[in-house]
Amino acid sequence: SKLHELLTALPKVEQHLHIEGTLEPSLLFSLAAKNNISLPSNDVDPVYQTTQTLLARYQRFTSLDDFLHYYYLGMSVLITADDFETLAWQYFTKAAGQNVRHAEVFFDPQAHISRGVPYDVVVEGLLAAKKRARDELALTVEYIVCILRHLPLPDSEALVDTVLSRGHFADGTLAGFGMVSSEKDFPPHLFREIYARVGATGTRLTSHVGEEVGPEFVREALAQLNVERVDHGLASARDADLLKQLAASETLLTFCPWSNVVLCNLPRLEDAPVRVFLDARVRFSLNSDDPAYFGAYIQDVFCKVQDTFDLSVADWEWIVGGAIEASWCGQDRKLALR
Ligand code: HPA
Ligand code: ZN
């Protein structure tokens, strides 16, 4: 339809994207071979046999934790700075091809450090790709470092020590701080002190919350962690008072409705609270989350939402305009994105 063409041409910002979630099976297998990484293939169910068996498994995730199992396994093929640069560069070229002009990208150092890949190696590769994206694609990139909720808190504190020792919040190497992984057993208040410590550096704060748990976790993250943005925030739709608070404070939800369907946090895309957020004037962006695992990059997500909700041009302008306004880039860049 006409609107699909408009949505393709529309300059986009992506604000909820895990770089490790852009690891396509083809790159996964080629890096595994290069780095001599053996993936579990003696399963009764031979998931890592071929691209086809792997993609078939990706098509039947049953929950966030079921996905995270394959997500953490997959990224074990990433070893050198070059590997991280290749991963990020592949995503940036794809995103630029879909008219993404600015990307705010999560990464999970703890998942690499725990395998013996140093923080500095990860960052070196990601920064090289970021520079190429700006120079060759006119795509601006900001990185958001994430702690892993399911690991012992001292592990996350050690990562924060490393980031602070490098001065990476103070010098703008990293634009923000977030929190990911399993949600159910890890209420936000457990992370109050670490958020206070990072927040004192002046860096931006966000957290994955309200993905598989209810609106009470979104409230808790806002009240206790001082996040200025909420990643997912799906469950906010079930709480009218919270919606009012989000609208009044112009808090951005980095919404990933297709991810929510694939991980069974929503029965169908039709059940996504797109209209709820629009009607409540809650700011939200539409994002892909882990596109190599969920089978949809940002363009596909936009088109799926349009096919399902038949939004107007004014709706799209409001969504994308709000996303640009809430971007973690300078005012000059925001003006250029409009
Ligand atoms: N939720 C929590 N942790 C994650 C996700 C997600 O959607 N993607 C990658 N890590
Ligand atoms: Zn996510």
Side-chain angles (χ1 to χ4, degrees), residues 279-312:
D279 292 345
R281 307 300 278 173
V282 169
R283 286 297 186 183
F284 67 100
S285 54
L286 292 165
N287 307 275
S288 65
D289 205 4
D290 301 285
Y293 289 84
F294 304 156
Y297 283 77
I298 193 166
Q299 181 65 57
D300 313 308
V301 172
F302 274 45
C303 288
K304 284 175 191 289
V305 166
Q306 180 57 16
D307 287 341
T308 306
F309 294 98
D310 193 26
L311 301 182
S312 66

Side-chain angles (χ1 to χ4, degrees), residues 273-282 284 311 315-316 318-319:
V274 170
R275 291 272 176 212
V276 174
F277 292 153
L278 282 173
D279 292 345
R281 307 300 278 173
V282 169
F284 67 100
L311 301 182
D315 290 332
W316 282 106
W318 192 81
I319 293 168

Side-chain angles (χ1 to χ4, degrees), residues 16 18 64 67-68 71-72 108 149 180-182 208 211 232 259 263 289-290 294:
H16 188 145
H18 303 266
L64 172 59
F67 151 70
L68 288 172
Y71 171 79
Y72 292 126
D108 295 346
R149 252 182 310 222
V180 297
S181 198
S182 304
H208 278 53
E211 179 183 13
H232 288 298
S259 161
L263 300 187
D289 205 4
D290 301 285
F294 304 156

Side-chain angles (χ1 to χ4, degrees), residues 212-277:
E212 56 173 0
V213 182
E216 65 278 10
F217 271 28
V218 179
R219 290 176 169 282
E220 200 174 301
L222 293 167
Q224 302 215 29
L225 306 184
N226 261 310
V227 293
E228 75 168 76
R229 172 186 283 189
V230 169
D231 300 315
H232 288 298
L234 168 67
S236 311
R238 314 200 306 249
D239 184 330
D241 286 338
L242 177 57
L243 288 173
K244 277 190 198 140
Q245 181 188 335
L246 292 167
S249 56
E250 296 179 20
T251 303
L252 181 81
L253 308 180
T254 66
F255 190 35
C256 308
W258 182 248
S259 161
N260 297 151
V261 172
V262 171
L263 300 187
C264 305
N265 293 303
L266 277 176
R268 307 164 307 165
L269 196 56
E270 287 83 340
D271 301 301
V274 170
R275 291 272 176 212
V276 174
F277 292 153

